[in-house]
Amino acid sequence: MTTPPRRKKIYEGKAKILYEGPEPGTLIQYFKDDATAFNAQKKAILEGKGVINNRISEYVMTRLNTIGVHNHFIRRLNLREQLIKEVEIIPLEVCCRNIAAGSLSTRLGLPEGEQLPRSIIEFYYKKDELGDPLVTEEHITAFNWATTQEIDDMLAMTLRVNDFLSGLFGGVGITLVDFKVEFGRIYDGDFSRVILADEISPDSCRLWDSITSEKLDKDRFRRDMGDVIESYTEVARRLGIMKEMPTVIQGGVQ
Ligand code: TMP
Ligand code: ASP
């Protein structure tokens, strides 16, 4: 006899699952241990990753809420799950870069680690079949993925997230090289507004030790550098949020 599912699954992505929430307009976001890279050509299970990312994302989203960057986070429910507001996801990955790395370095031939003249925001169309291509505001408005007002709101919020995160991580000896965020619409009658959604964690940011430039993020997995969980744990430890989850360090968490 199989146990019936605890709750209805709404969506399953590469690193997270969304379940129906306890009340209308809410969802439960479950963080998996699955790690993927290069559009899931590379896959692994990293034990404890979901727990750490749930906690780091909770911390960052809560702090962002207090400075008025509205987001979907309501509260953490347990080690792997958080209650969130249901949004209509805008099909864009919004990437903000302070230092050249990754696909920007490859595309423009910039050495990794080169300081950019200013922060650069890019949009990628969220479409796995196409490998999330880089798009411009022209594509976004022409294909109705977002309005010009929504683009302005996303740009303004992304810059605020960048300023806030640069300071937060800078204060604990970590350089924010770049990060990716996603946004969603929340409806109030006929009106909608854009809020920050998804997650902010070492899966979605490039974080380098400010002194040694050691990578403390998902590039350790993408580039087979090892010590992925140890590095994510180090980020949580420096943020001062390790205390509540000692079992993760011991690797014994379900
Ligand atoms: P990129 O240099 O590979 O374009 O990545 C830029 C930033 O976005 C980096 O912090 C990693 C993050 N990112 C994601 O969160 N999801 C993705 O699918 C990709 C490609 C990058
Ligand atoms: N592109 C994501 C990353 O590298 C994951 C994936 O595409 O499988 O972060």
Side-chain angles (χ1 to χ4, degrees):
M1 210 173 66
T2 53
T3 323
R6 216 158 26 120
R7 45 174 93 99
K8 194 170 147 211
K9 193 191 278 190
I10 305 287
Y11 173 82
E12 178 155 6
K14 286 177 285 208
K16 297 186 292 295
I17 306 173
L18 295 177
Y19 295 99
E20 196 171 60
E23 42 204 81
T26 65
L27 294 175
I28 291 166
Q29 179 166 250
Y30 176 97
F31 286 75
K32 300 194 277 187
D33 282 344
D34 302 57
T36 70
F38 316 117
N39 210 3
Q41 287 175 62
K42 178 176 175 141
K43 289 186 200 174
I45 305 280
L46 302 175
E47 203 180 320
K49 177 173 83 79
V51 176
I52 303 175
N53 283 355
N54 185 27
R55 183 69 187 96
I56 293 178
S57 203
E58 170 198 15
Y59 179 71
V60 172
M61 292 292 189
T62 305
R63 297 286 308 265
L64 285 170
N65 249 325
T66 66
I67 61 153
V69 177
H70 299 294
N71 61 69
H72 72 166
F73 181 81
I74 301 174
R75 66 173 182 276
R76 186 161 62 84
L77 298 172
N78 54 51
L79 282 176
R80 289 187 181 275
E81 294 176 325
Q82 47 183 247
L83 185 66
I84 57 168
K85 292 179 189 158
E86 182 171 24
V87 299
E88 180 183 275
I89 282 285
I90 294 174
L92 296 170
E93 300 204 340
V94 184
C95 176
C96 180
R97 303 176 184 271
N98 301 307
I99 292 173
S103 70
L104 180 73
S105 288
T106 309
R107 193 178 331 118
L108 301 183
L110 299 172
E112 271 212 331
E114 187 171 290
Q115 183 75 43
L116 297 172
R118 60 177 174 81
S119 302
I120 294 174
I121 298 182
E122 302 167 327
F123 295 101
Y124 294 85
Y125 179 41
K126 251 173 89 72
K127 197 81 178 165
D128 280 345
E129 305 91 284
L130 303 175
D132 299 343
L134 181 69
V135 292
T136 68
E137 297 188 22
E138 279 289 287
H139 302 101
I140 297 170
T141 50
F143 296 114
N144 264 321
W145 297 326
T147 65
T148 47
Q149 180 62 57
E150 288 173 335
I151 293 173
D152 285 351
D153 292 347
M154 289 189 283
L155 290 171
M157 289 172 83
T158 302
L159 284 178
R160 288 202 69 199
V161 172
N162 188 41
D163 286 346
F164 179 77
L165 286 187
S166 295
L168 180 75
F169 286 121
V172 296
I174 295 174
T175 303
L176 178 66
V177 173
D178 57 32
F179 64 93
K180 183 267 299 184
V181 279
E182 296 183 25
F183 294 89
R185 295 182 190 97
I186 198 151
Y187 285 90
D188 182 5
D190 284 345
F191 294 96
S192 74
R193 68 185 172 111
V194 168
I195 64 170
L196 186 63
D198 195 52
E199 71 176 286
I200 296 182
S201 72
D203 268 9
S204 60
C205 302
R206 281 199 174 89
L207 304 168
W208 295 356
D209 181 279
S210 306
I211 293 168
T212 64
S213 292
E214 189 191 357
K215 297 183 198 309
L216 300 171
D217 56 61
K218 198 170 153 189
D219 272 349
R220 298 202 72 90
F221 170 69
R222 295 189 189 97
R223 302 179 189 191
D224 293 321
M225 299 170 77
D227 290 341
V228 185
I229 289 302
E230 289 76 1
S231 302
Y232 284 35
T233 305
E234 175 64 10
V235 173
R237 192 191 65 74
R238 291 203 200 174
L239 289 174
I241 55 175
M242 271 315 291
K243 299 176 284 293
E244 310 93 321
M245 41 181 213
T247 44
V248 176
I249 326 172
Q250 292 151 24
V253 167
Q254 278 305 300

